[in-house]
Amino acid sequence: MKVLLTGGAGYIGSNILSCLLDEGHEVIVFDNFINSPRSKAEFLKKFIKKKFTIIEGDLVYIDEIKSVFDSHNIDVVIHLAGLKSVSESVVNPLLYYQNNIFGSVNLLHVMNEAKVKKIVFSSSATIYGDPKNLPIKESHPPNPKNTYGTTKLIVENIISSLCDKKHEFFAVSLRYFNPIGAD
């Protein structure tokens, strides 16, 4: 399977990249390197030692993502690209709306044009706001308290509406806090 991994040079992305390659998938990493240094690309190639493609680009520019879909026969998208600082989102909300929402809408638009109907979206448990009960259950009502959480919830809602209206479109949204690991 050919997987487009947006934000694939980041912490979560690089771990998913390694797992996908171990399973024999062909992976195209698409990243603007806002959250990771460009040197991470070379590090990943040396560390993982399996062939994959890295394309520097930004989802905010629809032509850049169209070019990837025009050049590669993508089967599924794992969408991790996005700005991720709660405090920065409060100080600069327009940047977060532009990057996290417009970038995701551009990606979904191009996916639809290319007839790519499967996406895994990296959301966040911040969409729940202040939890009423712990542990938080998926059925907990969303109530984000910051722009970052709001952008993640908006993109989840956009994806959900696509799934409702286009029954061949399949999606999973991952909601998590502060992922950590050994790699």
Side-chain angles (χ1 to χ4, degrees), residues 9-144:
Y11 175 74
I12 297 170
S14 59
N15 283 278
I16 291 174
L17 169 64
S18 180
C19 291
L20 288 168
L21 293 171
D22 285 347
E23 292 295 318
H25 299 291
E26 187 176 342
V27 183
I28 298 106
V29 171
F30 185 82
D31 205 300
N32 63 11
F33 297 100
I34 286 177
N35 290 321
S36 300
R38 282 178 177 76
S39 60
K40 180 81 175 271
E42 289 309 311
F43 169 78
L44 289 172
K45 287 189 176 190
K46 288 179 186 175
F47 178 74
I48 295 175
K49 298 180 183 175
K50 292 183 181 171
K51 185 181 177 207
F52 62 95
T53 303
I54 296 181
I55 299 171
E56 184 171 356
D58 197 317
L59 294 173
V60 172
Y61 304 106
I62 197 165
D63 289 342
E64 292 182 13
I65 193 63
K66 275 185 182 180
S67 174
V68 174
F69 278 82
D70 289 344
S71 302
H72 301 277
N73 190 21
I74 308 294
D75 296 306
V76 64
V77 173
I78 300 176
H79 180 31
L80 310 173
L83 297 176
K84 60 184 168 97
S85 168
V86 169
S87 59
E88 181 184 52
S89 78
V90 173
V91 172
N92 197 348
L94 290 178
L95 177 65
Y96 274 69
Y97 286 119
Q98 178 181 23
N99 190 82
N100 293 1
I101 297 172
F102 293 164
S104 296
V105 167
N106 284 344
L107 175 63
L108 293 165
H109 179 72
V110 174
M111 285 177 65
N112 191 52
E113 283 183 349
K115 297 184 179 13
V116 176
K117 305 297 183 185
K118 296 178 183 171
I119 186 169
V120 176
F121 173 59
S122 178
S123 187
S124 172
T126 60
I127 69 153
Y128 296 117
D130 298 325
K132 294 176 184 173
N133 301 308
L134 293 174
I136 301 172
K137 295 184 178 180
E138 190 174 352
S139 59
H140 189 286
N143 187 23

Side-chain angles (χ1 to χ4, degrees), residues 137-151:
K137 295 184 178 180
E138 190 174 352
S139 59
H140 189 286
N143 187 23
K145 301 292 184 191
N146 54 65
T147 304
Y148 168 71
T150 299
T151 64

